[in-house]
Amino acid sequence: MLGLAFATVRGRVPSLAGSFLALLFTAVLITACGMLMESGLRAQVPPERYAAAPVVLAGPQQTSIAKKEDGPVEVTESVPLEEPTTIPASLAGEIRKVPGVRDVVPDLTFPVGVLDGQGRAVHGRALGHAWESARLTPYTLRAGRAPASPGEIVLDAALAGTARLKVGAKARVLGRDGVRAYTVAGIAAPGLARQPAVFFTAPRAAELFGRPGRVSAFGVFGSGDPARLKDRIETALGTSEGTAARVSVRLKDGAPAAAGPVAYTGDERGLAENPGTSAARETLIALSGSLGGIAVMVAAFVVAGTFGLALRQRGREIALLRAVGAAPAQIRSMIGKEALLIGVAASVAGVPAGVLTGRWMFGELVSKGMIPDVFPLAAGPAPMLAAVALGTATAWLSARGAVRRATRIRPTEALGEAAAEPRALGRARVVTGLVFLALGVSVCVLSMFVAGETAAMSAGGIVILLAVAAALLGPWLVRIAVALVGGALGRASRVGGYLAVANTRTGARRLAAVVSPLTLMLAFAGTTIFTQSTVGHASARQAADGTRAGYVVTSAGPGVPAGVARAARTLPGVAGVTEVIDTRVVGDLEELGDRALRPYGALGLTVPAHGLDLDVRSGSLDRLRGAAGETVALSTLAAGSFGASVGDRVRLRLGDGTPITPTVVAVYGRGLGFGDVALPYDLVRAHTASGMADRLLVVADGAAAGRLAGLSPGLAVLDRDGVLAARDAAQEVNDWVNLIALGLIIVFIAISVTNTLIMATAGRVRELALLRLVGGTRRQVLGMIRWEALLVGGVALAAGTAIAAPTLAAISYGLTGSAVPHVRPAALAVMVAVTLGLALAGTLLPARAALAGRPAERIRG
Amino acid sequence: MNAVTKTYTRGAHEVHALRGVTVGLPRGGFTAVMGPSGSGKSTFLHCAAGLDTPTSGTVHLGEAELSRMDETRLTELRREKAGFVFQAFNLIPSLSVADNITLPLRLAGGRADRAWLEEVVRRVGLDDRVAHRPSQLSGGQQQRVAIARALVTRPEVVFADEPTGALDTTTAGEVLALLRQVVDATGQTVVMVTHDPVAAAYADEVLFLAGGVIVDTVRSATADTIARRMSALGRSTAAV
């Protein structure tokens, strides 16, 4: 039967082109996503800073909880941490006792800014270290000598080159205690472009690091195999594993999963140097996982549709095969093998484009700053193999339905002519459709009543449930639409409209095959785009309403030192100053009866808060004090997720993973605009890398603005409008990821919709020829086709809106408290235009082709 | 039809489907066109009906001269003056019998004359089937619907292209008798292309086409006579 499958595939190129294209695009997406995922899973960053140390011990880059503690396996959930973590300095003694360890070198890493004479940043995010840790790279002096006094530094050769600083020159460095002038005592090579180093004396480095008794990492020197050394250290210290997985499962070995330091060796050491990699890995894995998943889902949807349609058009051919003696099993096997052939061919063809797409996406992610440029794109064969395997499996599985239908074709049907499609839908299809509809509607209603974020997260589920229901009950939708507008249309357009209505009424199932993917596209695009605009609009409004400061002071370096805020408060004309640090914390909460971690945008702020109105609903921000984690303020959204109100205690992990259980002192409304968790400034400052404010909010008159910039070198002062504009620009980067995913899926659906339409129209050559022969002009026939296309587009628009509207209302209500989503009219117009345009182009172009030539010849089939 | 030639260019070859055919088809007559495969009988029908334009020569349908008309004008002319019955796929599946019959009127922007519609339907014997869809009818019934549709515009000529090709002998006989009755009762002109001598025997006049020219004409012949002429024709063309 394989030979027959080959022959039929060859003879059916046009009608199978849709399945082929859909599968090809699936393979492109799976390959691209697979590359991103592999990069995330196997991220290898060649070590630079710690290249000389065989084993590196550093803090964990994620915080974890045990989700399931009973039973033989342990399930842990991990969330990457925002801030670099530290480990106790006292570990040095224990490490030294490990056999084979020759030396242990502590490293302190803290962000500093190197400024030029005018106060402009030469490098805003250089890394400060103690000169004693230079040997971890190793850095060796190329000129000058080691720093001997607190006023002396050694510069990385690359940095010294950019700053045009020579030995003996004066350099200004912005650190935790302000901008200080230093003498360049020496210049050390190599120059590390990605993490340029500034070396201080050990006591001065400790001051600037600001966390006594802690270190960033230990470099361990020892003899023998580094892997063995690492094992011995792990055994001695009870270290934890570094992982990028969100949820990991392991066999219980008695000891609970420790939050202790992580030992790295070989290329893993690169991860220890770059604390952002853990988050980037998770970004990549999550993004590629969801995008790939959607691609497979949509592919299955589309391929099942095109196969079904192709088969319906081949009903006679199959009946003929049955008539000349093909057994049902042989037909089944033929269709199945056709699917396999197409699957393999399309997947293989899609791989090269997938590699290019993967490279492009990775490049975009890096250039948009979504992931740091520290690790390379993986280029193993696994994604390509996965694309071929998954593509083929998708083709085969989605053809199952068509295969089942094919065997129901009776040999006698070969003789019938103009076979009308059966009117009734299968009972299983109706029941399944109604179940999906009921589920979708109830989830939607339910989500209106549950707390904010959970409601928002259920949106994707609602869309999928309702879209599947719409696909299954599609013929009903078409018939309902015809019943509603058919009469009017038939009267309005006596020929085109009348014929279109008749065709739509009897060909409901054929048209439903076109309506379903269009509906899916609209529902998906509408929900994604307008969720984004609703959230974006709400957060921009909250930010605009809540920002009361006339001026915002930011720094060209890693932060605004505490001295600047002190000085600003004493300036004449300044009514109040608030220091703000933006960070992320992790909530440790109960979600649907299960313990879960959820990251939140957070801010540390000094109280009383000036120039900032968080719209406090209960409690008071003035009680937000204490450096030991006694108090917290939550947005209404976060309070809902925690199930907490003022006076309750909640469990949080700070940016560096430190757990706290503060009492809620206030609940505020403007979480989208500013972050869902507000913490005392001193607490956040003690657990962030720079130990400085990200910005100062200043309430002052116009005269004070000029003086603010003069408080210290390297400061930038923005007025209120400038701040809001900068905020919007940052938001756009965030939207990009969602839009790229959406764009790919829309291309996908557009391909399949167009193809389905082309196939459906091309299958009607004889019908169109007959209309011409009995006296229809080309214009009349095209008019009929146009009305049909508009009916299809209209039904899809109505169904898509019916799915997207309640979903959006649920999301909007959950996130902003208002059930009315923010819909951009321009975006809506584009979506309507694209839908109708696709429907029209996909039918009119093939119809024109079908009308070419002599109708008397076309009618012979 | 006057000195009509039709030449197709198929790739590098020129195919002369008609080589100077001149013939007048009598109004109110039933003419059958016969000939072996490739003799040009379909091209003859297409040219006569304005479905195709001749390479040279002129075609008149009633008073209208077809060969210089553009496609839109031809369509309108067909709508008014010609009715068509084909071998298969005659009906729009989504329309009922009545709607299929009145389709040409609708396309012309007119409305069906109820009495005439009933008359036509009665004449083809489908009074009780007007609300059915084509898929619910037998092959013979479908052809009768097609004939009714061809008659509903009161055309000058009904063109039938192998109307009984897909039917069994008994049903074919019924359909042919119906065509014959249309000619006899209403003076309708019918031109039918066929290769079946039995079908051709229902006609008043049979034209034999071979190699793109009319080689023979017989009047009121029996199926046997026609079959003998046909096989003679087959031998002579084979001998050429």
Side-chain angles (χ1 to χ4, degrees):
Chain A
M1 283 315 266
L2 190 62
L4 191 53
F6 250 122
T8 49
V9 165
R10 214 169 33 226
R12 284 283 164 182
V13 170
S15 69
L16 293 173
S19 310
F20 184 86
L21 267 181
L23 286 166
L24 185 134
F25 203 66
T26 316
V28 170
L29 284 184
I30 294 176
T31 309
C33 291
M35 286 167 76
L36 296 188
M37 184 170 276
E38 200 190 356
S39 305
L41 287 173
R42 301 206 338 214
Q44 293 288 313
V45 188
E48 294 178 337
R49 170 75 184 108
Y50 297 142
V55 178
V56 172
L57 205 68
Q61 293 185 10
Q62 72 279 327
T63 185
S64 312
I65 48 161
K67 272 191 105 72
K68 186 170 176 293
E69 280 166 309
D70 46 340
V73 292
E74 188 178 70
V75 181
T76 47
E77 183 183 0
S78 305
V79 172
L81 291 170
E82 171 82 357
E83 304 287 343
T85 50
T86 57
I87 48 177
S90 56
L91 281 176
E94 286 177 57
I95 303 169
R96 272 200 189 89
K97 282 184 224 145
V98 175
V101 171
R102 230 179 28 239
D103 201 359
V104 178
V105 178
D107 182 37
L108 308 179
T109 303
F110 47 92
V112 292
V114 180
L115 309 177
D116 66 10
Q118 280 76 50
R120 287 192 299 264
V122 174
H123 201 294
R125 279 254 167 196
L127 294 174
H129 305 281
W131 175 247
E132 279 67 20
S133 66
R135 55 183 288 217
L136 292 172
T137 310
Y139 270 101
T140 48
L141 283 169
R142 184 187 281 170
R145 54 170 176 78
S149 73
E152 287 179 347
I153 53 173
V154 167
L155 283 183
D156 175 291
L159 193 57
T162 350
R164 297 214 181 94
L165 290 168
K166 295 200 162 44
V167 173
K170 288 280 175 201
R172 294 209 276 183
V173 178
L174 169 62
R176 176 177 286 250
D177 53 9
V179 178
R180 295 278 187 275
Y182 297 87
T183 306
V184 180
I187 289 170
L192 299 181
R194 278 204 296 264
Q195 37 181 341
V198 179
F199 292 101
F200 300 86
T201 58
R204 178 69 184 132
E207 276 172 38
L208 289 170
F209 185 63
R211 277 161 285 183
R214 314 284 298 181
V215 298
S216 298
F218 285 111
V220 183
F221 292 87
S223 47
D225 182 3
R228 294 262 190 79
L229 188 61
K230 179 191 161 195
D231 288 346
R232 286 198 295 274
I233 294 171
E234 280 178 341
T235 318
L237 297 182
T239 56
S240 59
E241 284 292 321
T243 173
R246 181 86 199 224
V247 174
S248 59
V249 181
R250 61 169 200 159
L251 274 175
K252 238 180 185 174
D253 53 6
V262 184
Y264 301 92
T265 185
D267 273 352
E268 292 170 354
R269 290 169 298 170
L271 302 177
E273 290 174 16
N274 300 280
T277 45
S278 184
R281 289 168 77 178
E282 184 170 311
T283 303
L284 277 178
I285 293 167
L287 176 77
S288 55
S290 66
L291 198 55
I294 293 170
V296 169
M297 195 196 80
V298 178
F301 201 81
V302 163
V303 173
T306 42
F307 254 101
L309 193 66
L311 203 74
R312 213 166 304 141
Q313 291 181 348
R314 294 169 57 184
R316 259 205 229 192
E317 177 194 322
I318 288 166
L320 186 63
L321 281 171
R322 294 273 288 113
V324 300
Q330 286 176 307
I331 300 286
R332 258 201 304 271
S333 134
M334 183 188 80
I335 306 280
K337 278 174 184 148
E338 265 182 44
L340 280 182
L341 271 179
I342 293 173
V344 172
S347 308
V348 170
V351 163
V355 172
L356 293 180
T357 311
R359 286 208 182 126
W360 173 75
M361 283 172 68
F362 192 81
E364 286 290 297
L365 286 170
V366 170
S367 72
K368 292 276 191 299
M370 301 288 299
I371 51 173
D373 61 348
V374 291
F375 57 79
L377 178 63
M384 303 169 200
L385 293 176
V388 173
L390 269 173
T392 311
T394 307
W396 193 75
L397 285 174
S398 357
R400 298 305 297 163
V403 167
R404 249 201 339 273
R405 250 195 322 270
T407 50
R408 271 194 245 126
I409 293 175
R410 290 185 311 276
T412 49
E413 287 174 33
L415 308 168
E417 101 145 19
E421 60 184 46
R423 218 175 137 69
L425 292 180
R427 188 191 301 179
R429 181 169 175 174
V430 170
V431 169
T432 321
L434 289 176
V435 166
F436 271 94
L437 182 66
L439 276 175
V441 169
S442 45
V443 172
C444 193
V445 169
L446 206 69
S447 67
M448 287 287 209
F449 292 98
V450 298
E453 283 177 305
T454 317
M457 284 191 296
S458 60
I462 301 176
V463 168
I464 289 169
L465 287 173
L466 289 178
V468 170
L472 290 170
L473 303 177
W476 284 9
L477 281 178
V478 174
R479 279 188 207 132
I480 290 169
V482 169
L484 287 178
V485 303
L489 189 54
R491 276 190 299 279
S493 167
R494 288 252 315 138
V495 176
Y498 161 84
L499 286 172
V501 168
N503 285 333
T504 311
R505 190 180 292 129
T506 47
R509 198 178 282 196
R510 167 172 59 84
L511 289 167
V514 185
V515 168
S516 331
L518 273 177
T519 305
L520 180 69
M521 176 176 90
L522 266 171
F524 199 82
T527 317
T528 311
I529 289 177
F530 296 131
T531 299
Q532 222 164 66
S533 66
T534 301
V535 172
H537 179 75
S539 57
R541 243 188 88 172
Q542 289 186 5
D545 291 350
T547 303
R548 299 287 163 81
Y551 302 96
V552 174
V553 180
T554 56
S555 164
V560 182
V564 175
R566 267 198 305 277
R569 287 196 174 96
T570 62
L571 277 182
V574 171
V577 174
T578 307
E579 291 165 83
V580 178
I581 299 177
D582 295 307
T583 181
R584 291 183 77 77
V585 298
V586 179
D588 174 358
L589 43 83
E590 296 275 321
E591 191 174 69
L592 307 171
D594 216 7
R595 200 172 163 203
L597 293 178
R598 184 178 293 172
Y600 286 105
L603 72 170
L605 65 147
T606 53
V607 288
H610 297 281
L612 178 72
D613 181 1
L614 291 180
D615 179 22
V616 173
R617 302 280 171 86
S618 58
S620 164
L621 282 182
D622 292 343
R623 291 170 54 203
L624 199 63
R625 288 171 195 278
E630 300 93 336
T631 58
V632 69
L634 298 176
S635 72
T636 44
L637 225 61
S641 300
F642 277 104
S645 48
V646 171
D648 293 342
R649 292 174 88 87
V650 294
R651 283 181 303 203
L652 286 176
R653 309 270 169 101
L654 293 173
D656 63 355
T658 311
I660 55 170
T661 36
T663 305
V664 179
V665 296
V667 173
Y668 57 91
R670 297 200 173 113
L672 285 177
F674 294 95
D676 288 308
V677 177
L679 290 162
Y681 180 78
D682 291 334
L683 171 69
V684 175
R685 180 168 179 258
H687 293 276
T688 50
S690 71
M692 288 178 268
D694 285 316
R695 51 206 161 96
L696 304 183
L697 308 178
V698 183
V699 181
D701 56 32
R707 284 194 290 261
L708 283 170
L711 287 175
S712 166
L715 293 183
V717 180
L718 286 172
D719 61 8
R720 191 170 168 278
D721 293 342
V723 171
L724 295 177
R727 199 186 165 285
D728 290 348
Q731 178 71 36
E732 269 169 31
V733 173
N734 246 345
D735 290 351
W736 179 86
V737 170
N738 282 328
L739 287 180
I740 198 170
L742 181 69
L744 289 172
I745 285 157
I746 287 182
V747 168
F748 204 137
I749 296 182
I751 288 177
S752 69
V753 166
T754 315
N755 181 264
T756 312
L757 283 169
I758 289 173
M759 276 166 64
T761 313
R764 297 169 66 190
V765 169
R766 300 174 93 196
E767 184 193 331
L768 301 186
L770 178 64
L771 275 171
R772 295 275 289 115
L773 287 176
V774 300
T777 58
R778 277 173 57 87
R779 277 190 48 189
Q780 285 176 322
V781 177
L782 287 176
M784 170 190 93
I785 297 281
R786 194 176 309 120
W787 279 114
E788 278 187 42
L790 287 177
L791 262 172
V792 164
V795 174
L797 276 177
T801 310
I803 293 172
T807 313
L808 280 169
I811 297 173
S812 180
Y813 183 74
L815 289 178
T816 68
S818 148
V820 183
H822 179 75
V823 173
R824 290 199 196 111
L828 187 63
V830 167
M831 282 163 55
V832 171
V834 165
T835 308
L836 293 181
L838 270 179
L840 282 172
T843 43
L844 281 177
L845 295 180
R848 271 174 202 284
L851 283 172
R854 302 276 167 204
E857 285 163 29
R858 304 303 291 258
I859 201 168
R860 286 163 186 270
Chain B
M1 226 182 201
N2 195 4
V4 169
T5 65
K6 179 71 190 180
T7 310
Y8 296 105
T9 310
R10 291 271 154 81
H13 300 281
E14 285 207 332
V15 180
H16 301 280
L18 294 178
R19 311 164 184 250
V21 172
T22 305
V23 69
L25 301 172
R27 190 178 293 250
F30 187 169
T31 309
V33 181
M34 293 198 73
S37 298
S39 60
K41 47 184 199 300
S42 288
T43 312
F44 175 84
L45 186 83
H46 293 168
C47 285
L51 290 170
D52 207 344
T53 44
T55 314
S56 69
T58 54
V59 179
H60 291 268
L61 184 59
E63 279 78 52
E65 214 275 274
L66 303 186
S67 42
R68 302 285 168 262
M69 286 182 180
D70 68 3
E71 185 51 36
T72 310
R73 197 56 209 100
L74 276 176
T75 305
E76 285 163 5
L77 187 93
R78 283 204 298 271
R79 202 148 67 188
E80 290 160 23
K81 304 206 167 167
F84 292 92
V85 180
F86 302 98
Q87 178 175 354
F89 206 84
N90 260 307
L91 308 176
I92 303 287
S94 60
L95 298 179
S96 69
V97 165
D99 288 341
N100 259 297
I101 294 173
T102 54
L103 184 59
L105 297 173
R106 184 177 277 277
L107 289 168
R111 270 174 203 282
D113 171 357
R114 284 221 71 82
W116 174 238
L117 173 62
E118 275 165 28
E119 163 71 18
V120 167
V121 169
R122 197 185 43 72
R123 206 179 277 174
V124 299
L126 289 169
D127 321 42
D128 52 343
R129 307 260 168 186
V130 285
H132 286 54
R133 289 197 194 285
S135 56
Q136 296 164 307
L137 301 180
S138 72
Q141 286 169 334
Q142 291 186 11
Q143 288 307 78
R144 281 193 270 161
V145 176
I147 292 169
R149 185 191 58 209
L151 294 175
V152 81
T153 55
R154 297 186 173 92
E156 299 243 359
V157 195
V158 170
F159 293 97
D161 191 355
E162 303 273 9
T164 57
L167 302 179
D168 64 77
T169 321
T170 321
T171 322
E174 285 167 23
V175 168
L176 289 163
L178 179 61
L179 282 173
R180 180 72 246 175
Q181 186 244 329
V182 162
V183 175
D184 294 342
T186 59
Q188 183 73 54
T189 313
V190 174
V191 178
M192 172 177 75
V193 164
T194 183
H195 63 265
D196 178 6
V198 178
Y202 282 82
D204 302 323
E205 187 179 37
V206 183
L207 303 179
F208 292 92
L209 267 173
V213 289
I214 295 177
V215 292
D216 200 357
T217 311
V218 294
R219 292 192 60 82
S220 308
T222 61
D224 278 351
T225 323
I226 297 168
R228 272 199 301 278
R229 293 281 178 103
M230 269 296 283
S231 47
L233 205 60
R235 277 196 302 276
S236 65
T237 24
V240 170

